[in-house]
Amino acid sequence: MRRIIHNTTAIVTCLALLAPQIAAAQDGPGDEPREGLSAIIQQAKKAAQDDKQMAEEEDARPAVKGQNKDKNDRKKADKSEKKPKAKPQKADKDDAKPKAKPDQQDKKDNAGIMGEPGKAAREQKAADDKKPAPKPKADSNVLTIGKGQVQADRAAQMPGLAKVLNQEVQDGLTRDQLTCLQGGSYPCADGDRAITPRGVVIEPNGGGPFRLADTANQMFRIGKSGDMVQRAAEEDTRETQAAREAAKQSQPVSAAALNASEGSGKMTEQKVTKDSTRSSSEDFATSLRDALAGDDAARNRSRDDAKDDDSSSDLTKALLLGAGALAVGSFLNNNRQVALSAPDRVVVTRDDGSQEVIKDEVALLRQPGSNVTTENFDDGSSRTVVTREDGSRVVTIRDADLRVLRRTLVSADGTTTQLIDDTTDVQPVDVSQLPAPAEVQNSDAPMNEDELRAALRRESDIGRRFTLSQIRNIPEVRSLVAPVNIDAITFDSGSAAIRPDQAKQLQALGRVIQDSVAENPSEIFMIEGHTDTVGADAFNLALSDRRAESVALALTEYFDVPPENLVTQGYGEQFLRIRAEGDIRGNRRASVRRITELLRTAGAQ
């Protein structure tokens, strides 16, 4: 019996010694022992107490014969040997309860030594490592480039821009970083094109990704140094019939007015007053919309006036004398059809569909107080002399289409300055041999006076001269000198008038031109007008030409810029600064270009 007690006590002692380790393996959250462990210990203690009590009872009974005593001793020994085995059975019953969490099960099964992960933990980690990483959720804001054939073709045509775009995408370009080509932030209306932060124009490809916009819509190109260079508005534009004719010209235009003596032509005379001239703040009396539609009275006047004269002389009469308009739909020489007709200018359409504006080039010179004398000759050419109150004179000779062939300033002291002369040294133009376009203004911020002076006086080493007609009609020639945008001027829709508060913002430009003319009286600046694509082509061309004239008038009225040193030209919607269609303010603009170096005329004589 005492042996049984000793065995039971030993079991309890072992359990007591193992209790901390078992507790550490089975502790739950908050370091609280699990119920299974407590049950095992309590059952072991109870078994020991029962064995002790049984032993005491056996000792109290009377002795029996040895045979029976041995038999009872063997039964008690067998009983005492079976009791320890019953305890693990209860522990196994506890194990049937829900298994512990994976991290706790790793500790329970084959727990490692000194906190190292056990076998189960290592096996679980190996299984986790073999699982594929979960795919990240698609971010709808991240910009991606399509893989279609159109994108591949355009990337091959514009490898430099494609490289810039790919780099932006790799750097994490998002859709909210885009700017709409027509203005405003992304998303753009109706899937319009957008510009990346570095200036690449892209467009939706019909799905989620984007692709490069075509060359005609790109605002930048890659320069020789690998940098992004803003493209001139004249780059990659369609060649017109007027440009081809100007490029082929190799002989000066002949005109009777060039060699005729003064007073030999049909003479008209006009005294200019304030009431007979237009200021920059006033719009034109004739509505271009009405002129575009044409009216029966205008047609009848034109036909009556043209009975004894050809159409060229009729054009001269209409514009020089303001006697009326040509009939819309009628034809001038060189098969040019009248698309818009107004007393101040006419728009004609050529065989290739391109359009030209014809106007009175002396309109700027008709300042109040001056006396204007015009001689008309049989070939349609004319000579106009504007005599000012200070005694100076400006002599302008034009051909039958009113193009300026020669302009000369005769100062009050008799000094003669040749301003324009297209009657000598006329050379054809091979566009493919011309230098690259000049770098254009790459900022919408207004320039101060010093910046304007530097931009306008930047000279180009062209190595030859061009006629005024070549400069006006050949975009590649004109782009050899960069334009300066006149951002201070905005026009109302359909209007060519400039408000006085806007005109005053031309002060810096006026000073720069005035100073340039004071240093070199033969300086020539061309004021250009542009529109957006809203409206008819003929309407926009005439409107842009009127706007260019308004800017020139403002420079003369407010800052005393000599009008003879200015020429004006409207281009309508031909050369968009922002290469997109629609109502875009950035395309309704005026700009100025110093063309002295292109003309290469003689100085004072």
Side-chain angles (χ1 to χ4, degrees):
M1 178 59 69
R2 296 186 183 278
R3 188 181 65 183
I4 295 173
I5 295 172
H6 288 317
N7 290 340
T8 304
T9 304
I11 292 173
V12 173
T13 303
C14 289
L15 289 174
L17 292 173
L18 292 174
Q21 285 78 4
I22 297 174
Q26 293 191 351
D27 283 352
D31 295 332
E32 294 180 0
R34 292 186 178 271
E35 293 180 359
L37 174 61
S38 301
I40 293 171
I41 296 173
Q42 293 299 326
Q43 290 171 3
K45 288 182 179 180
K46 186 176 184 302
Q49 291 175 358
D50 291 344
D51 288 343
K52 183 178 179 182
Q53 183 178 355
M54 185 180 297
E56 291 175 351
E57 290 176 354
E58 288 291 334
D59 291 340
R61 291 178 184 177
V64 293
K65 293 181 180 181
Q67 185 179 358
N68 292 335
K69 181 177 184 299
D70 293 338
K71 184 177 181 181
N72 291 336
D73 288 342
R74 285 196 300 272
K75 289 181 178 180
K76 290 179 179 180
D78 295 338
K79 185 177 181 181
S80 64
E81 290 175 0
K82 292 179 181 179
K83 286 186 179 293
K85 294 182 180 179
K87 309 312 176 189
Q89 289 177 357
K90 291 186 178 180
D92 292 341
K93 188 175 181 180
D94 290 338
D95 288 343
K97 294 181 180 180
K99 293 183 178 181
K101 294 182 180 179
D103 59 335
Q104 295 169 340
Q105 190 67 30
D106 288 344
K107 294 180 181 179
K108 181 177 178 181
D109 297 334
N110 284 323
I113 302 174
M114 297 299 291
E116 291 295 326
K119 179 181 178 181
R122 292 194 299 271
E123 291 176 351
Q124 182 64 39
K125 182 176 184 303
D128 291 341
D129 291 340
K130 292 181 180 179
K131 291 181 180 179
K135 295 182 179 180
K137 293 183 179 180
D139 187 352
S140 61
N141 192 40
V142 174
L143 190 141
T144 57
I145 302 301
K147 304 297 184 182
Q149 189 60 44
V150 175
Q151 167 62 20
D153 293 342
R154 291 177 180 176
Q157 295 171 1
M158 301 172 281
L161 291 180
K163 182 178 179 181
V164 172
L165 177 60
N166 288 334
Q167 186 61 54
E168 287 187 284
V169 172
Q170 292 176 11
D171 292 341
L173 179 62
T174 56
R175 296 169 186 255
D176 54 15
Q177 292 178 288
L178 302 177
T179 302
C180 297
L181 190 58
Q182 293 189 356
S185 57
Y186 190 85
C188 307
D190 300 326
D192 288 333
R193 298 177 181 89
I195 310 175
T196 70
R198 292 194 61 186
V200 181
V201 180
I202 59 177
E203 63 186 15
N205 69 349
F210 283 76
R211 66 189 177 199
L212 280 168
D214 60 22
T215 305
N217 294 112
Q218 294 297 335
M219 306 290 294
F220 290 83
R221 56 180 168 83
I222 303 299
K224 294 181 179 179
S225 61
D227 297 332
M228 297 280 284
V229 178
Q230 185 168 351
R231 300 173 66 201
E234 293 80 10
E235 290 185 46
D236 303 322
T237 53
R238 180 172 66 94
E239 184 184 46
T240 63
Q241 189 170 343
R244 288 192 293 271
E245 291 174 357
K248 292 178 180 179
Q249 187 180 0
S250 58
Q251 297 293 327
V253 176
S254 61
L258 289 171
N259 301 315
S261 58
E262 290 190 20
S264 59
K266 299 177 182 178
M267 188 175 297
T268 61
E269 206 169 329
Q270 177 191 18
K271 182 69 174 180
V272 181
T273 65
K274 187 176 181 179
D275 294 336
S276 62
T277 58
R278 182 184 75 93
S279 71
S280 60
S281 60
E282 298 173 341
D283 230 319
F284 287 81
T286 304
S287 168
L288 289 178
R289 290 187 174 87
D290 294 339
L292 182 64
D295 60 80
D296 293 337
R299 287 188 176 90
N300 293 333
R301 287 195 301 270
S302 177
R303 289 168 182 164
D304 291 341
D305 292 340
K307 284 180 180 179
D308 299 325
D309 299 310
D310 62 23
S311 57
S312 294
S313 61
D314 183 49
L315 170 67
T316 303
K317 287 181 179 180
L319 296 184
L320 291 184
L321 306 178
L326 296 171
V328 173
S330 62
F331 284 84
L332 304 181
N333 58 349
N334 297 325
N335 201 34
R336 296 173 297 172
Q337 185 178 19
V338 177
L340 180 146
S341 180
D344 59 291
R345 52 196 24 88
V346 171
V347 175
V348 296
T349 303
R350 304 293 295 266
D351 290 338
D352 64 349
S354 62
Q355 295 183 325
E356 298 172 313
V357 62
I358 304 172
K359 62 189 173 187
D360 179 9
E361 295 280 2
V362 187
L364 284 178
L365 304 178
R366 301 176 188 272
Q367 301 294 317
S370 60
N371 189 68
V372 180
T373 301
T374 299
E375 292 181 83
N376 293 312
F377 297 89
D378 292 340
D379 64 349
S381 64
S382 62
R383 178 196 294 123
T384 300
V385 179
V386 178
T387 304
R388 295 172 176 152
E389 292 178 320
D390 63 357
S392 62
R393 299 190 305 156
V394 180
V395 181
T396 303
I397 295 177
R398 291 167 289 180
D399 66 7
D401 289 330
L402 301 180
R403 289 177 296 191
V404 175
L405 301 178
R406 182 187 295 161
R407 176 173 289 175
T408 306
L409 170 65
V410 182
S411 301
D413 61 2
T415 303
T416 300
T417 302
Q418 198 77 2
L419 299 171
I420 299 170
D421 190 0
D422 284 357
T423 64
T424 61
D425 190 24
V426 177
Q427 307 172 32
V429 178
D430 184 354
V431 173
S432 65
Q433 299 300 314
L434 294 177
E439 184 176 343
V440 299
Q441 178 183 350
N442 194 17
S443 173
D444 292 331
M447 293 184 179
N448 59 37
E449 189 170 326
D450 291 337
E451 292 171 334
L452 275 171
R453 184 174 285 104
L456 288 173
R457 291 190 177 184
R458 185 170 42 194
E459 296 186 359
S460 301
D461 186 14
I462 307 301
R464 59 158 293 174
R465 71 174 297 275
F466 301 93
T467 66
L468 180 59
S469 177
Q470 289 170 339
I471 296 170
R472 276 177 158 159
N473 294 312
I474 305 176
E476 293 83 358
V477 171
R478 190 168 60 257
S479 64
L480 294 175
V481 292
V484 174
N485 293 312
I486 306 175
D487 297 313
I489 300 299
T490 59
F491 294 95
D492 294 334
S493 178
S495 173
I498 298 175
R499 301 192 309 269
D501 62 315
Q502 288 182 320
K504 292 177 182 178
Q505 297 182 41
L506 295 172
Q507 182 176 11
L509 178 61
R511 287 178 177 174
V512 169
I513 296 178
Q514 193 178 46
D515 291 345
S516 297
V517 172
E519 294 177 11
N520 177 17
S522 64
E523 289 281 1
I524 299 294
F525 296 85
M526 185 162 71
I527 310 298
E528 303 172 8
H530 303 272
T531 69
D532 57 26
T533 63
V534 177
D537 293 350
F539 175 90
N540 285 337
L541 183 56
L543 179 62
S544 66
D545 200 64
R546 283 181 168 185
R547 288 174 172 173
E549 183 177 313
S550 295
V551 173
L553 285 172
L555 290 171
T556 298
E557 294 168 7
Y558 290 89
F559 308 108
D560 295 326
V561 172
E564 62 268 22
N565 295 91
L566 303 175
V567 294
T568 62
Q569 184 65 48
Y571 291 104
E573 57 187 77
Q574 296 178 67
F575 307 109
L576 302 175
R577 182 184 183 190
I578 299 173
R579 295 172 178 244
E581 296 185 355
D583 183 4
I584 302 176
R585 181 192 173 279
N587 287 331
R588 297 192 299 270
R589 71 194 194 280
S591 56
V592 57
R593 214 184 295 250
R594 177 178 174 268
I595 62 173
T596 308
E597 294 300 315
L598 298 179
L599 289 170
R600 289 286 180 95
T601 55
Q605 298 177 352

